[in-house]
Amino acid sequence: MSQQFDLVVIGGGPGGYEAAIRAAQLGYKVACIEKRLLNGKPSMGGTCLNVGCIPSKALLDSSHKYEATQHELEDHGITTGEVTLDLQKLLARKDKVVQQLTGGVAQLLKGNNIEWLQGTGKLLAGKQVEFVPHEGEKQILAPKYVILASGSVPVNIPVAPVDQDVIVDSTGALSFNEVPKRLGVIGAGVIGLELGSVWRRLGSEVVVFEALDSFLPMADKALSKEFHKILKKQGLEIRIGAKVAATEVNGQEVTVKYTQDGEEKTQVFDKLIVCVGRKAYAEGLLAEDAGIKLTERGLVEVNDQCATSVEGVYAIGDLVRGPMLAHKAMEEGVMAVERIHGHAAQVNYDTIISVIYTHPEAAWVGLTEEAAKEQGFDVKAGQFPFAVNGRALAAGETAGFVKFVADNKTDRLLGMHVVGPSASDIVHQGMIALEFVSSVEDLQLMTFGHPTFSEVVHEAALSVDGRAIHAVQRKRK
Ligand code: FAD
Ligand code: AMP
Protein backbone atom coordinates (compact mmCIF):
# COMPACT_ATOMS: atom_id res chain seq x y z
CA MET A 1 0.00 0.00 0.00
CA SER A 2 1.57 3.30 -0.97
CA GLN A 3 1.40 6.23 1.41
CA GLN A 4 -0.74 9.35 0.93
CA PHE A 5 0.99 12.70 0.84
CA ASP A 6 -0.36 16.19 0.16
CA LEU A 7 2.99 17.31 -1.19
CA VAL A 8 5.97 15.44 -2.60
CA VAL A 9 9.22 17.38 -3.01
CA ILE A 10 11.81 15.82 -5.34
CA GLY A 11 15.26 16.93 -4.18
CA GLY A 12 16.44 17.72 -0.66
CA GLY A 13 18.75 20.68 -1.38
CA PRO A 14 18.20 24.10 0.20
CA GLY A 15 15.23 24.72 -2.12
CA GLY A 16 13.59 21.36 -1.53
CA TYR A 17 14.09 20.95 2.20
CA GLU A 18 12.97 24.52 3.02
CA ALA A 19 9.84 23.99 0.91
CA ALA A 20 9.16 20.73 2.75
CA ILE A 21 9.55 22.36 6.18
CA ARG A 22 7.34 25.35 5.35
CA ALA A 23 4.63 23.03 3.99
CA ALA A 24 4.78 20.92 7.16
CA GLN A 25 4.44 24.10 9.24
CA LEU A 26 1.26 24.88 7.29
CA GLY A 27 -0.16 21.47 8.11
CA TYR A 28 0.53 19.50 4.91
CA LYS A 29 1.59 15.86 4.95
CA VAL A 30 4.93 16.02 3.16
CA ALA A 31 7.48 13.63 1.68
CA CYS A 32 10.89 14.71 0.40
CA ILE A 33 12.62 12.34 -2.01
CA GLU A 34 16.41 12.68 -1.93
CA LYS A 35 18.77 10.19 -3.54
CA ARG A 36 22.17 11.61 -2.59
CA LEU A 37 24.72 9.36 -0.89
CA LEU A 38 27.72 10.87 0.90
CA ASN A 39 30.42 8.33 1.72
CA GLY A 40 27.86 5.62 0.99
CA LYS A 41 25.23 7.03 3.37
CA PRO A 42 22.02 8.88 2.45
CA SER A 43 22.57 12.60 2.90
CA MET A 44 20.19 15.56 2.99
CA GLY A 45 21.02 19.16 2.05
CA GLY A 46 21.81 18.90 -1.68
CA THR A 47 24.77 20.46 -3.45
CA CYS A 48 24.86 23.34 -0.97
CA LEU A 49 25.50 21.37 2.20
CA ASN A 50 27.35 18.37 0.74
CA VAL A 51 29.63 19.69 -2.01
CA GLY A 52 28.89 23.40 -2.41
CA CYS A 53 28.43 26.46 -0.21
CA ILE A 54 29.27 24.88 3.12
CA PRO A 55 32.38 22.75 2.45
CA SER A 56 33.83 25.51 0.24
CA LYS A 57 33.31 28.06 3.01
CA ALA A 58 34.87 25.72 5.60
CA LEU A 59 37.97 25.48 3.36
CA LEU A 60 37.97 29.23 2.73
CA ASP A 61 37.86 29.95 6.46
CA SER A 62 40.54 27.40 7.37
CA SER A 63 42.88 28.47 4.58
CA HIS A 64 42.39 32.12 5.52
CA LYS A 65 43.39 31.36 9.12
CA TYR A 66 46.49 29.56 7.83
CA GLU A 67 47.50 32.48 5.64
CA ALA A 68 46.70 35.08 8.30
CA THR A 69 48.72 33.20 10.92
CA GLN A 70 51.71 33.15 8.58
CA HIS A 71 51.54 36.66 7.23
CA GLU A 72 49.26 38.94 9.22
CA LEU A 73 50.07 38.38 12.87
CA GLU A 74 53.57 39.83 12.85
CA ASP A 75 52.15 43.28 12.17
CA HIS A 76 50.19 42.97 15.41
CA GLY A 77 53.38 42.16 17.34
CA ILE A 78 52.57 38.46 17.53
CA THR A 79 55.39 36.07 16.68
CA THR A 80 54.55 32.48 16.03
CA GLY A 81 56.87 29.52 15.70
CA GLU A 82 56.92 27.58 12.47
CA VAL A 83 53.39 27.36 11.10
CA THR A 84 52.58 23.91 9.73
CA LEU A 85 49.59 22.59 7.86
CA ASP A 86 47.83 19.34 8.71
CA LEU A 87 45.76 19.04 5.52
CA GLN A 88 44.05 15.81 6.61
CA LYS A 89 42.83 17.52 9.79
CA LEU A 90 41.69 20.56 7.85
CA LEU A 91 39.71 18.33 5.45
CA ALA A 92 38.32 16.26 8.33
CA ARG A 93 37.06 19.45 9.98
CA LYS A 94 35.31 20.44 6.73
CA ASP A 95 33.72 16.96 6.56
CA LYS A 96 32.55 17.30 10.18
CA VAL A 97 30.88 20.64 9.46
CA VAL A 98 29.12 19.03 6.48
CA GLN A 99 28.03 16.06 8.58
CA GLN A 100 26.72 18.30 11.34
CA LEU A 101 24.60 20.34 8.95
CA THR A 102 23.32 17.49 6.76
CA GLY A 103 22.44 15.55 9.92
CA GLY A 104 20.77 18.68 11.27
CA VAL A 105 18.53 18.95 8.21
CA ALA A 106 17.55 15.28 8.54
CA GLN A 107 16.61 15.98 12.18
CA LEU A 108 14.59 19.04 11.15
CA LEU A 109 12.62 16.95 8.66
CA LYS A 110 11.98 14.32 11.30
CA GLY A 111 10.94 16.94 13.85
CA ASN A 112 8.43 18.31 11.34
CA ASN A 113 7.05 14.83 10.56
CA ILE A 114 8.32 14.99 7.00
CA GLU A 115 8.97 11.61 5.43
CA TRP A 116 12.43 11.41 3.88
CA LEU A 117 12.09 8.93 1.03
CA GLN A 118 15.65 7.77 0.32
CA GLY A 119 15.96 7.08 -3.39
CA THR A 120 15.00 8.51 -6.76
CA GLY A 121 11.84 10.37 -7.71
CA LYS A 122 10.31 10.81 -11.14
CA LEU A 123 7.28 12.84 -12.15
CA LEU A 124 4.79 10.82 -14.18
CA ALA A 125 1.71 11.84 -16.15
CA GLY A 126 -1.23 13.10 -14.08
CA LYS A 127 1.03 14.51 -11.32
CA GLN A 128 1.88 11.05 -10.01
CA VAL A 129 5.36 10.40 -8.66
CA GLU A 130 7.37 7.22 -9.04
CA PHE A 131 9.67 6.59 -6.10
CA VAL A 132 12.48 4.04 -6.49
CA PRO A 133 14.09 3.53 -3.07
CA HIS A 134 17.79 2.70 -2.64
CA GLU A 135 16.50 -0.56 -1.20
CA GLY A 136 13.08 -2.12 -1.69
CA GLU A 137 10.14 -1.91 -4.03
CA LYS A 138 9.19 0.91 -6.36
CA GLN A 139 6.13 2.93 -5.25
CA ILE A 140 3.72 5.18 -7.09
CA LEU A 141 2.61 8.24 -5.10
CA ALA A 142 -0.37 10.41 -5.94
CA PRO A 143 0.10 13.71 -4.10
CA LYS A 144 -2.01 16.84 -4.59
CA TYR A 145 1.11 18.91 -5.22
CA VAL A 146 4.66 18.29 -6.40
CA ILE A 147 7.73 20.51 -6.13
CA LEU A 148 10.63 19.70 -8.44
CA ALA A 149 13.93 20.71 -6.81
CA SER A 150 16.58 18.49 -8.38
CA GLY A 151 19.22 21.21 -8.59
CA SER A 152 22.23 21.32 -10.85
CA VAL A 153 25.53 19.63 -11.72
CA PRO A 154 28.86 21.01 -12.99
CA VAL A 155 29.20 21.68 -16.72
CA ASN A 156 31.75 19.45 -18.44
CA ILE A 157 33.80 20.62 -21.40
CA PRO A 158 35.25 18.13 -23.88
CA VAL A 159 38.63 19.91 -23.87
CA ALA A 160 39.13 19.03 -20.19
CA PRO A 161 37.41 15.72 -19.31
CA VAL A 162 37.07 15.33 -15.54
CA ASP A 163 38.67 12.16 -14.11
CA GLN A 164 38.42 13.35 -10.45
CA ASP A 165 42.12 12.59 -10.11
CA VAL A 166 44.25 15.03 -12.12
CA ILE A 167 41.39 16.95 -13.75
CA VAL A 168 38.64 17.59 -11.22
CA ASP A 169 35.40 19.54 -10.93
CA SER A 170 34.43 21.67 -7.92
CA THR A 171 33.58 18.53 -5.91
CA GLY A 172 37.01 16.97 -6.50
CA ALA A 173 38.68 20.26 -5.58
CA LEU A 174 37.17 20.10 -2.08
CA SER A 175 39.28 17.05 -1.17
CA PHE A 176 42.78 17.06 -2.71
CA ASN A 177 44.78 14.80 -0.40
CA GLU A 178 47.87 16.98 -0.77
CA VAL A 179 48.40 20.58 -1.73
CA PRO A 180 49.16 20.60 -5.48
CA LYS A 181 52.34 22.52 -6.24
CA ARG A 182 51.03 23.77 -9.60
CA LEU A 183 47.27 24.25 -9.85
CA GLY A 184 45.32 25.33 -12.93
CA VAL A 185 41.71 26.54 -12.76
CA ILE A 186 39.50 26.89 -15.87
CA GLY A 187 36.96 29.67 -15.35
CA ALA A 188 37.26 32.87 -13.31
CA GLY A 189 33.66 32.69 -12.09
CA VAL A 190 32.66 32.72 -8.43
CA ILE A 191 33.49 29.06 -7.76
CA GLY A 192 36.81 29.16 -9.65
CA LEU A 193 37.96 32.23 -7.72
CA GLU A 194 36.94 30.76 -4.36
CA LEU A 195 38.58 27.38 -4.91
CA GLY A 196 41.64 28.95 -6.53
CA SER A 197 42.00 31.17 -3.44
CA VAL A 198 41.68 28.23 -1.04
CA TRP A 199 44.56 26.30 -2.62
CA ARG A 200 46.73 29.38 -3.21
CA ARG A 201 46.52 30.16 0.50
CA LEU A 202 47.46 26.59 1.32
CA GLY A 203 50.58 26.85 -0.86
CA SER A 204 49.71 26.13 -4.53
CA GLU A 205 50.91 28.32 -7.38
CA VAL A 206 47.57 29.01 -9.03
CA VAL A 207 46.79 30.09 -12.59
CA VAL A 208 43.16 30.85 -13.49
CA PHE A 209 42.25 30.74 -17.20
CA GLU A 210 39.33 32.90 -18.30
CA ALA A 211 38.19 32.80 -21.92
CA LEU A 212 36.27 36.09 -21.77
CA ASP A 213 38.07 39.37 -22.39
CA SER A 214 36.87 40.91 -19.15
CA PHE A 215 37.00 39.92 -15.49
CA LEU A 216 33.61 39.30 -13.77
CA PRO A 217 31.59 40.98 -16.53
CA MET A 218 28.37 40.72 -14.51
CA ALA A 219 29.79 42.87 -11.69
CA ASP A 220 30.02 46.66 -11.45
CA LYS A 221 33.13 47.76 -13.40
CA ALA A 222 34.65 49.63 -10.45
CA LEU A 223 34.19 46.53 -8.26
CA SER A 224 35.64 44.07 -10.76
CA LYS A 225 38.67 46.33 -11.36
CA GLU A 226 39.42 46.75 -7.64
CA PHE A 227 38.75 43.08 -6.89
CA HIS A 228 41.00 41.92 -9.75
CA LYS A 229 43.80 44.16 -8.41
CA ILE A 230 43.44 42.73 -4.90
CA LEU A 231 43.42 39.09 -6.03
CA LYS A 232 46.45 39.70 -8.27
CA LYS A 233 48.34 41.28 -5.36
CA GLN A 234 47.58 38.17 -3.31
CA GLY A 235 49.33 36.08 -5.94
CA LEU A 236 46.34 34.62 -7.77
CA GLU A 237 47.32 34.75 -11.42
CA ILE A 238 44.21 35.38 -13.49
CA ARG A 239 44.74 35.18 -17.25
CA ILE A 240 41.97 37.06 -18.98
CA GLY A 241 41.22 36.22 -22.62
CA ALA A 242 42.90 32.84 -22.17
CA LYS A 243 40.80 30.06 -23.66
CA VAL A 244 41.71 26.49 -22.83
CA ALA A 245 41.72 24.56 -26.13
CA ALA A 246 43.02 21.13 -25.05
CA THR A 247 44.46 19.16 -22.14
CA GLU A 248 46.64 16.09 -21.99
CA VAL A 249 47.09 14.00 -18.86
CA ASN A 250 50.44 12.25 -18.44
CA GLY A 251 50.58 10.26 -15.23
CA GLN A 252 50.07 12.77 -12.41
CA GLU A 253 50.50 15.86 -14.58
CA VAL A 254 48.30 17.68 -17.03
CA THR A 255 49.43 19.86 -19.92
CA VAL A 256 47.03 22.69 -20.65
CA LYS A 257 47.01 24.15 -24.15
CA TYR A 258 45.42 27.56 -24.35
CA THR A 259 45.22 30.56 -26.66
CA GLN A 260 45.81 34.12 -25.49
CA ASP A 261 46.39 37.24 -27.60
CA GLY A 262 46.24 35.05 -30.72
CA GLU A 263 49.13 32.90 -29.51
CA GLU A 264 49.00 29.21 -28.63
CA LYS A 265 50.65 28.45 -25.30
CA THR A 266 51.04 25.48 -22.96
CA GLN A 267 51.53 25.07 -19.23
CA VAL A 268 51.90 21.99 -17.04
CA PHE A 269 50.00 21.52 -13.76
CA ASP A 270 49.70 18.87 -11.05
CA LYS A 271 45.94 19.40 -10.80
CA LEU A 272 43.39 21.18 -12.93
CA ILE A 273 39.99 22.33 -11.66
CA VAL A 274 37.22 22.77 -14.23
CA CYS A 275 34.85 25.52 -13.03
CA VAL A 276 33.05 26.59 -16.18
CA GLY A 277 29.57 26.83 -14.73
CA ARG A 278 26.69 24.58 -13.70
CA LYS A 279 23.66 23.23 -15.55
CA ALA A 280 20.19 22.22 -14.42
CA TYR A 281 19.92 18.55 -13.51
CA ALA A 282 16.76 16.83 -14.73
CA GLU A 283 18.16 13.43 -15.66
CA GLY A 284 15.48 10.80 -15.09
CA LEU A 285 13.28 13.39 -13.35
CA LEU A 286 10.47 13.62 -15.86
CA ALA A 287 8.53 10.96 -17.71
CA GLU A 288 8.05 11.94 -21.35
CA ASP A 289 4.31 12.32 -20.81
CA ALA A 290 4.65 14.22 -17.51
CA GLY A 291 3.64 17.39 -19.35
CA ILE A 292 6.47 19.59 -18.07
CA LYS A 293 7.88 22.11 -20.55
CA LEU A 294 11.63 22.65 -20.67
CA THR A 295 13.47 25.68 -22.02
CA GLU A 296 16.06 25.41 -24.81
CA ARG A 297 18.76 25.30 -22.13
CA GLY A 298 17.15 22.35 -20.37
CA LEU A 299 15.70 24.36 -17.48
CA VAL A 300 12.16 23.63 -16.31
CA GLU A 301 9.95 26.44 -17.59
CA VAL A 302 8.20 28.32 -14.79
CA ASN A 303 6.37 31.60 -14.27
CA ASP A 304 7.34 34.25 -11.70
CA GLN A 305 5.78 32.16 -8.94
CA CYS A 306 7.62 28.96 -9.97
CA ALA A 307 4.49 27.24 -11.34
CA THR A 308 5.26 24.83 -14.21
CA SER A 309 3.11 23.94 -17.20
CA VAL A 310 1.29 21.31 -15.09
CA GLU A 311 -1.20 22.57 -12.52
CA GLY A 312 -0.12 21.76 -8.98
CA VAL A 313 3.50 21.13 -10.02
CA TYR A 314 6.12 23.74 -9.12
CA ALA A 315 9.86 23.87 -9.88
CA ILE A 316 12.46 25.85 -7.96
CA GLY A 317 16.15 26.58 -7.43
CA ASP A 318 18.96 25.67 -9.83
CA LEU A 319 16.48 23.71 -11.97
CA VAL A 320 14.81 26.94 -13.14
CA ARG A 321 15.78 30.36 -14.55
CA GLY A 322 17.73 32.87 -12.49
CA PRO A 323 21.00 32.79 -10.60
CA MET A 324 22.16 29.43 -9.25
CA LEU A 325 22.29 30.41 -5.59
CA ALA A 326 21.19 28.62 -2.45
CA HIS A 327 19.31 31.60 -0.99
CA LYS A 328 17.39 32.05 -4.25
CA ALA A 329 16.44 28.35 -4.16
CA MET A 330 15.32 28.61 -0.51
CA GLU A 331 13.05 31.59 -1.07
CA GLU A 332 11.55 30.03 -4.19
CA GLY A 333 10.80 26.86 -2.21
CA VAL A 334 8.99 28.84 0.46
CA MET A 335 7.19 30.96 -2.17
CA ALA A 336 5.92 27.86 -4.01
CA VAL A 337 4.45 26.47 -0.79
CA GLU A 338 2.86 29.80 0.16
CA ARG A 339 1.29 29.91 -3.31
CA ILE A 340 -0.02 26.36 -2.90
CA HIS A 341 -1.56 27.54 0.37
CA GLY A 342 -3.17 30.54 -1.32
CA HIS A 343 -0.83 33.19 0.10
CA ALA A 344 0.34 36.00 -2.21
CA ALA A 345 4.07 35.38 -1.80
CA GLN A 346 6.60 36.63 -4.32
CA VAL A 347 10.41 36.46 -4.47
CA ASN A 348 11.93 39.84 -5.28
CA TYR A 349 14.44 38.83 -7.95
CA ASP A 350 15.83 42.39 -8.01
CA THR A 351 17.31 42.13 -4.53
CA ILE A 352 19.10 38.78 -4.63
CA ILE A 353 22.62 39.29 -3.37
CA SER A 354 25.77 37.94 -5.04
CA VAL A 355 28.83 37.11 -2.95
CA ILE A 356 32.36 35.90 -3.63
CA TYR A 357 33.72 34.58 -0.34
CA THR A 358 37.40 35.33 -0.89
CA HIS A 359 39.30 37.56 1.53
CA PRO A 360 38.38 40.31 1.28
CA GLU A 361 34.94 39.35 0.07
CA ALA A 362 33.13 40.90 -2.87
CA ALA A 363 29.34 41.30 -2.74
CA TRP A 364 26.65 43.22 -4.53
CA VAL A 365 22.92 43.72 -4.84
CA GLY A 366 20.76 45.58 -7.36
CA LEU A 367 21.97 47.36 -10.47
CA THR A 368 25.56 48.03 -11.48
CA GLU A 369 26.34 51.57 -12.64
CA GLU A 370 26.60 50.26 -16.21
CA ALA A 371 23.26 48.40 -16.09
CA ALA A 372 21.51 51.40 -14.52
CA LYS A 373 22.75 53.63 -17.37
CA GLU A 374 21.69 51.04 -19.94
CA GLN A 375 18.22 51.03 -18.40
CA GLY A 376 18.01 54.77 -18.97
CA PHE A 377 18.46 56.03 -15.41
CA ASP A 378 20.12 59.39 -14.85
CA VAL A 379 22.73 57.79 -12.62
CA LYS A 380 24.58 59.25 -9.68
CA ALA A 381 27.11 57.13 -7.79
CA GLY A 382 29.47 57.43 -4.87
CA GLN A 383 32.03 55.21 -3.23
CA PHE A 384 34.11 55.28 -0.09
CA PRO A 385 37.23 53.25 0.76
CA PHE A 386 37.81 51.11 3.83
CA ALA A 387 41.39 52.49 3.93
CA VAL A 388 40.41 55.52 6.05
CA ASN A 389 37.84 53.77 8.26
CA GLY A 390 38.96 53.53 11.88
CA ARG A 391 37.69 50.01 12.48
CA ALA A 392 39.22 48.75 9.21
CA LEU A 393 42.60 50.27 10.13
CA ALA A 394 42.40 48.79 13.64
CA ALA A 395 41.68 45.37 12.16
CA GLY A 396 44.22 45.71 9.35
CA GLU A 397 41.44 45.11 6.79
CA THR A 398 41.78 48.19 4.64
CA ALA A 399 41.35 46.90 1.08
CA GLY A 400 38.24 47.73 -0.92
CA PHE A 401 35.27 50.11 -0.82
CA VAL A 402 31.50 50.46 -0.68
CA LYS A 403 29.80 51.95 -3.72
CA PHE A 404 26.21 53.08 -4.18
CA VAL A 405 24.42 53.57 -7.47
CA ALA A 406 21.30 55.75 -7.40
CA ASP A 407 18.79 57.56 -9.58
CA ASN A 408 19.66 61.26 -9.76
CA LYS A 409 16.06 62.26 -10.48
CA THR A 410 14.38 60.57 -7.53
CA ASP A 411 17.36 59.86 -5.21
CA ARG A 412 16.20 56.21 -5.19
CA LEU A 413 18.89 53.68 -4.38
CA LEU A 414 19.50 51.26 -7.29
CA GLY A 415 22.48 49.15 -6.28
CA MET A 416 25.22 48.54 -3.74
CA HIS A 417 28.67 47.08 -4.47
CA VAL A 418 31.15 46.11 -1.78
CA VAL A 419 34.69 44.78 -1.77
CA GLY A 420 36.10 44.57 1.70
CA PRO A 421 35.87 43.09 5.18
CA SER A 422 32.58 41.28 5.88
CA ALA A 423 31.21 42.36 2.49
CA SER A 424 28.86 39.35 2.54
CA ASP A 425 27.17 40.73 5.65
CA ILE A 426 27.50 44.43 4.89
CA VAL A 427 25.72 43.97 1.55
CA HIS A 428 22.54 43.01 3.42
CA GLN A 429 22.21 46.64 4.47
CA GLY A 430 21.84 47.49 0.78
CA MET A 431 19.47 44.57 0.25
CA ILE A 432 17.17 45.80 3.02
CA ALA A 433 17.40 49.38 1.75
CA LEU A 434 16.46 48.24 -1.78
CA GLU A 435 13.56 46.16 -0.43
CA PHE A 436 12.23 49.24 1.35
CA VAL A 437 12.78 51.39 -1.76
CA SER A 438 15.10 53.70 0.20
CA SER A 439 16.48 56.93 -1.07
CA VAL A 440 20.16 57.70 -0.66
CA GLU A 441 19.08 60.42 1.78
CA ASP A 442 17.46 57.78 4.01
CA LEU A 443 20.88 56.19 4.47
CA GLN A 444 22.58 59.56 4.84
CA LEU A 445 20.26 60.47 7.72
CA MET A 446 20.83 57.29 9.72
CA THR A 447 23.24 57.04 12.65
CA PHE A 448 25.80 54.29 12.13
CA GLY A 449 27.69 52.85 15.09
CA HIS A 450 31.29 53.90 15.63
CA PRO A 451 33.78 52.40 15.05
CA THR A 452 32.34 49.87 12.58
CA PHE A 453 32.98 48.70 9.04
CA SER A 454 29.42 49.82 8.37
CA GLU A 455 30.43 53.45 8.73
CA VAL A 456 31.84 53.03 5.23
CA VAL A 457 28.25 52.36 4.11
CA HIS A 458 27.22 55.70 5.59
CA GLU A 459 30.17 57.53 4.03
CA ALA A 460 29.49 55.90 0.65
CA ALA A 461 25.88 57.12 0.80
CA LEU A 462 27.11 60.61 1.72
CA SER A 463 29.67 60.55 -1.06
CA VAL A 464 26.92 60.01 -3.64
CA ASP A 465 26.18 63.70 -3.06
CA GLY A 466 29.80 64.73 -2.55
CA ARG A 467 29.43 65.14 1.21
CA ALA A 468 31.41 62.32 2.82
CA ILE A 469 33.04 63.56 6.01
CA HIS A 470 36.29 61.60 6.09
CA ALA A 471 37.38 62.61 2.60
CA VAL A 472 37.84 66.02 1.09
CA GLN A 473 34.86 66.30 -1.23
CA ARG A 474 33.42 69.09 -3.26
CA LYS A 475 30.17 69.93 -1.45
CA ARG A 476 27.31 69.56 -3.87
CA LYS A 477 24.29 69.43 -1.60
P1 FAD B 1 20.68 21.22 -5.00
O1 FAD B 1 21.33 21.80 -3.81
O2 FAD B 1 21.55 20.86 -6.16
O3 FAD B 1 19.87 19.94 -4.51
C1 FAD B 1 19.19 19.10 -5.36
C2 FAD B 1 19.16 17.70 -4.76
O4 FAD B 1 18.24 16.93 -5.50
C3 FAD B 1 20.49 16.96 -4.84
O5 FAD B 1 20.93 16.61 -3.55
C4 FAD B 1 20.21 15.73 -5.69
O6 FAD B 1 20.82 14.56 -5.20
C5 FAD B 1 18.69 15.60 -5.55
N1 FAD B 1 18.06 14.97 -6.72
C6 FAD B 1 18.22 15.29 -8.02
N2 FAD B 1 17.43 14.54 -8.81
C7 FAD B 1 16.75 13.72 -7.97
C8 FAD B 1 15.77 12.72 -8.17
N3 FAD B 1 15.30 12.43 -9.39
N4 FAD B 1 15.30 12.06 -7.09
C9 FAD B 1 15.76 12.35 -5.85
N5 FAD B 1 16.67 13.29 -5.59
C10 FAD B 1 17.15 13.98 -6.64
N6 FAD B 1 25.31 29.19 -3.55
C11 FAD B 1 25.23 30.21 -2.69
O7 FAD B 1 24.16 30.81 -2.57
N7 FAD B 1 26.30 30.59 -1.92
C12 FAD B 1 27.50 29.97 -2.02
O8 FAD B 1 28.43 30.32 -1.31
C13 FAD B 1 27.62 28.90 -2.92
N8 FAD B 1 28.79 28.22 -3.03
C14 FAD B 1 28.88 27.16 -3.87
C15 FAD B 1 30.08 26.49 -3.96
C16 FAD B 1 30.23 25.39 -4.79
C17 FAD B 1 31.54 24.68 -4.85
C18 FAD B 1 29.09 24.95 -5.55
C19 FAD B 1 29.20 23.76 -6.43
C20 FAD B 1 27.88 25.61 -5.46
C21 FAD B 1 27.76 26.73 -4.64
N9 FAD B 1 26.56 27.45 -4.53
C22 FAD B 1 26.48 28.52 -3.68
C23 FAD B 1 25.36 27.09 -5.33
C24 FAD B 1 24.37 26.32 -4.48
O9 FAD B 1 24.99 25.17 -3.97
C25 FAD B 1 23.15 25.95 -5.31
O10 FAD B 1 22.63 27.12 -5.90
C26 FAD B 1 22.06 25.32 -4.45
O11 FAD B 1 22.54 24.15 -3.83
C27 FAD B 1 20.84 25.00 -5.30
O12 FAD B 1 19.86 24.42 -4.50
P2 FAD B 1 18.74 23.46 -5.07
O13 FAD B 1 17.89 23.09 -3.92
O14 FAD B 1 18.12 24.05 -6.26
O15 FAD B 1 19.51 22.16 -5.61
P1 AMP C 1 30.63 30.77 -13.99
O1 AMP C 1 29.62 30.29 -15.00
O2 AMP C 1 30.32 32.11 -13.38
O3 AMP C 1 30.98 29.73 -12.97
O4 AMP C 1 31.98 31.04 -14.80
C1 AMP C 1 32.59 30.09 -15.64
C2 AMP C 1 33.63 30.81 -16.50
O5 AMP C 1 34.40 29.83 -17.22
C3 AMP C 1 33.02 31.74 -17.54
O6 AMP C 1 33.45 33.05 -17.29
C4 AMP C 1 33.56 31.20 -18.86
O7 AMP C 1 33.93 32.24 -19.75
C5 AMP C 1 34.80 30.41 -18.45
N1 AMP C 1 35.19 29.38 -19.44
C6 AMP C 1 34.39 28.46 -20.05
N2 AMP C 1 35.09 27.66 -20.90
C7 AMP C 1 36.39 28.06 -20.83
C8 AMP C 1 37.63 27.63 -21.46
N3 AMP C 1 37.67 26.63 -22.35
N4 AMP C 1 38.78 28.29 -21.14
C9 AMP C 1 38.76 29.30 -20.23
N5 AMP C 1 37.64 29.74 -19.61
C10 AMP C 1 36.46 29.15 -19.89
Side-chain angles (χ1 to χ4, degrees), residues 258-306:
Y258 65 101
T259 48
Q260 194 179 18
D261 303 325
E263 270 181 60
E264 285 185 16
K265 303 178 185 180
T266 61
Q267 190 157 350
V268 178
F269 297 98
D270 303 303
K271 299 275 183 198
L272 180 66
I273 313 176
V274 182
C275 288
V276 295
R278 296 180 64 79
K279 60 177 184 198
Y281 177 69
E283 225 174 274
L285 178 74
L286 306 168
E288 262 179 39
D289 56 357
I292 297 290
K293 278 195 197 146
L294 297 179
T295 68
E296 269 175 22
R297 293 179 48 224
L299 300 164
V300 168
E301 206 171 283
V302 287
N303 67 8
D304 272 0
Q305 291 81 42
C306 290

Side-chain angles (χ1 to χ4, degrees), residues 11 15 34 36 46-48 53 57 121 150-151 278 318 324-327:
E34 171 56 66
R36 183 178 293 271
T47 303
C48 171
C53 322
K57 264 80 259 176
S150 55
R278 296 180 64 79
D318 285 8
M324 289 190 172
L325 292 168
H327 43 287

